[in-house]
Amino acid sequence: MQTRKYLIHSALFLITLLTTTAAGAEWMFGRFFIPFPGTTAMGWREFVAGFNFSLPFLTVLTVHEFGHYFVARANKVRVTLPYYIPFWFGLGQSIGTMGAFIRIKEYISSRQKYFDIGVAGPLAGFVVALVLLWYGFTHLPPVDYIFTIHPEYKKYGLRYGEFVTLNLNKGNVSALALGDNLLFWFFKTYVADQSLLPHPYEMVHYPYLLAGYLSLFFTSLNLIPIGQLDGGHVLYAMIGRKRFNALAPVLFVGFVFYAGLGFFKVADFATGDDAVFQDQLMKLVLYVGALFLAFSRINDRPITSLLIALSVVVAQFAVSFMFPTVEGYIGFMVFAVVLGRFLGVYHPETEENEPLSTGRKLLGWLAVIVFILSFSPKPFI
């Protein structure tokens, strides 16, 4: 039985290594392994290059999960080894995985144990992410590297960034930039050699920078202080069940409010074009449905969840009307629905509610600082 479990964990890890390597190669070379008409397929050479993304990224992910695992074992809590989740189809951009998780196999009775297990993963992974970012920004390849991916840039030389910006403004090309967080901005500004720093819309081709950025991104998501996320475990342990259950739904509603801010504007419905109005109205109905799903476990009464969803929409319209340029990040809505509908906003109760020691409280505040440093209001632009 144990051998079968080890084989499952090992197989999932190896498959995830392959899928993240393939995905990393696609980001690096800007092409897909399954080529679309008019594009060139990638081969073994490109696949091997993808290890420059997959190995550092999976190292951070693995350290994060084993941080949970070893601290759980130290607290005599039975847990599984990490389950890695491969995710790659070869037909569109992905990162090759949906992450990893360990399964807790018994009831955890104390706030202290929840805290220790919850805080260990993000802090351990964050340390490795810092090393990865430092290495990525201090070992940038020569400028010619980008010309191997975009030969059309070569004629512009060091001014290729102006060409990229011009075509983006004209809508001639589509590209993805990594939105800043405080730590990524610091490394870009004060650690990197500015003469080697790539254009913001070309950073996705640099595997160590992409792996480091994604490590911060997933660390920040895990540290959101809601439900059974790592940040939820930490906050629950720090302030207790009663205060957590009062604060968590407020934080969640605020998170959802920010995510959809600016997605709809009053002007979208006042174009005078009936077809546009109907399209916008259908999008709004679907959006309210997504909000209802996100809020479905905040309260036992569905009507209350619907009223919260409608209130959020009205408030978003009001803010967008008064401040038309203010926008959130609609990409967070997918995570909000998963969190609110499936993972839950509240935290499981514990029998032992002993207060945390001073040392643990300091670690809790350190986790808050890590969250602030790692969180990107607009992760992908």
Side-chain angles (χ1 to χ4, degrees):
M1 191 67 175
Q2 285 295 105
T3 301
R4 180 175 175 272
K5 290 179 180 178
Y6 291 144
L7 286 174
I8 291 173
H9 290 289
S10 300
L12 286 174
F13 173 78
L14 290 175
I15 294 170
T16 304
L17 177 61
L18 294 177
T19 56
T20 52
T21 300
E26 290 177 336
W27 283 106
M28 289 174 65
F29 296 98
R31 292 180 280 144
F32 299 115
F33 276 98
I34 301 174
F36 290 96
T39 62
T40 305
M42 293 195 291
W44 180 247
R45 180 184 69 86
E46 289 85 359
F47 179 82
V48 171
F51 282 107
N52 287 294
F53 168 79
S54 62
L55 291 178
F57 180 59
L58 286 183
T59 296
V60 176
L61 183 62
T62 300
V63 169
H64 178 118
E65 293 305 323
F66 273 99
H68 291 313
Y69 176 82
F70 287 120
V71 172
R73 294 292 298 270
N75 279 277
K76 295 181 171 54
V77 175
R78 292 187 302 116
V79 293
T80 66
L81 288 167
Y83 288 95
Y84 294 82
I85 310 172
F87 185 78
W88 178 80
F89 295 116
L91 296 172
Q93 210 74 72
S94 73
I95 60 172
T97 181
M98 294 181 69
F101 67 94
I102 62 170
R103 188 167 65 86
I104 297 173
K105 300 172 69 175
E106 64 181 89
Y107 170 70
I108 297 179
S109 59
S110 79
R111 284 164 54 183
Q112 178 180 304
K113 289 181 180 180
Y114 263 124
F115 177 87
D116 291 353
I117 297 169
V119 82
L123 293 188
F126 179 73
V127 171
V128 181
L130 281 179
V131 175
L132 174 56
L133 284 170
W134 173 85
Y135 180 85
F137 278 108
T138 56
H139 291 76
L140 292 170
V143 175
D144 287 351
Y145 169 74
I146 197 64
F147 302 147
T148 65
I149 300 165
H150 290 291
E152 68 275 17
Y153 291 175
K154 193 168 185 179
K155 62 183 178 181
Y156 299 97
L158 296 179
R159 300 182 63 182
Y160 78 89
E162 297 176 17
F163 168 79
V164 175
T165 302
L166 180 64
N167 279 275
L168 284 168
N169 291 337
K170 290 182 177 180
N172 295 334
V173 296
S174 60
L176 183 71
L178 305 177
D180 271 339
N181 53 55
L182 291 175
L183 195 58
F184 201 72
W185 170 84
F186 172 83
F187 275 96
K188 281 198 310 183
T189 307
Y190 296 107
V191 176
D193 182 340
Q194 298 301 305
S195 66
L196 300 177
L197 197 66
H199 188 276
Y201 282 95
E202 303 299 336
M203 280 192 179
V204 294
H205 300 305
Y206 290 64
Y208 295 105
L209 301 187
L210 180 61
Y213 181 83
L214 290 174
S215 298
L216 295 182
F217 172 67
F218 286 112
T219 295
S220 68
L221 286 187
N222 271 291
L223 283 174
I224 292 176
I226 296 170
Q228 295 193 61
L229 297 173
D230 294 337
H233 294 325
V234 171
L235 183 63
Y236 176 87
M238 290 180 71
I239 67 175
R241 180 179 64 86
K242 185 176 180 180
R243 283 184 287 182
F244 180 87
N245 285 344
L247 182 59
V250 175
L251 294 175
F252 183 64
V253 171
F255 177 68
V256 174
F257 174 81
Y258 168 75
L261 191 59
F263 186 57
F264 289 99
K265 295 182 172 67
V266 174
D268 296 335
F269 294 85
T271 62
D273 188 320
D274 288 343
V276 172
F277 178 82
Q278 291 175 6
D279 287 345
Q280 290 295 320
L281 188 61
M282 180 57 65
K283 283 173 60 179
L284 180 60
V285 170
L286 293 174
Y287 177 65
V288 171
L291 289 179
F292 175 74
L293 287 176
F295 296 135
S296 60
R297 292 177 62 182
I298 278 187
N299 190 277
D300 293 333
R301 301 176 63 192
I303 188 63
T304 302
S305 300
L306 180 60
L307 288 174
I308 295 173
L310 293 174
S311 298
V312 166
V313 170
V314 170
Q316 288 171 336
F317 267 111
V319 172
S320 296
F321 180 75
M322 293 185 290
F323 308 99
T325 60
V326 175
E327 293 185 352
Y329 183 72
I330 194 62
F332 282 139
M333 270 305 301
V334 176
F335 182 68
V337 171
V338 172
L339 179 57
R341 181 69 184 91
F342 301 104
L343 300 180
V345 175
Y346 300 103
H347 194 280
E349 294 186 23
T350 54
E351 293 176 356
E352 302 170 26
N353 288 296
E354 74 287 4
L356 298 181
S357 64
T358 301
R360 285 186 171 88
K361 288 179 181 177
L362 290 175
L363 278 180
W365 284 109
L366 178 60
V368 172
I369 293 171
V370 168
F371 171 73
I372 293 171
L373 293 176
S374 304
F375 184 76
S376 301
K378 294 185 178 181
F380 306 101
I381 305 170

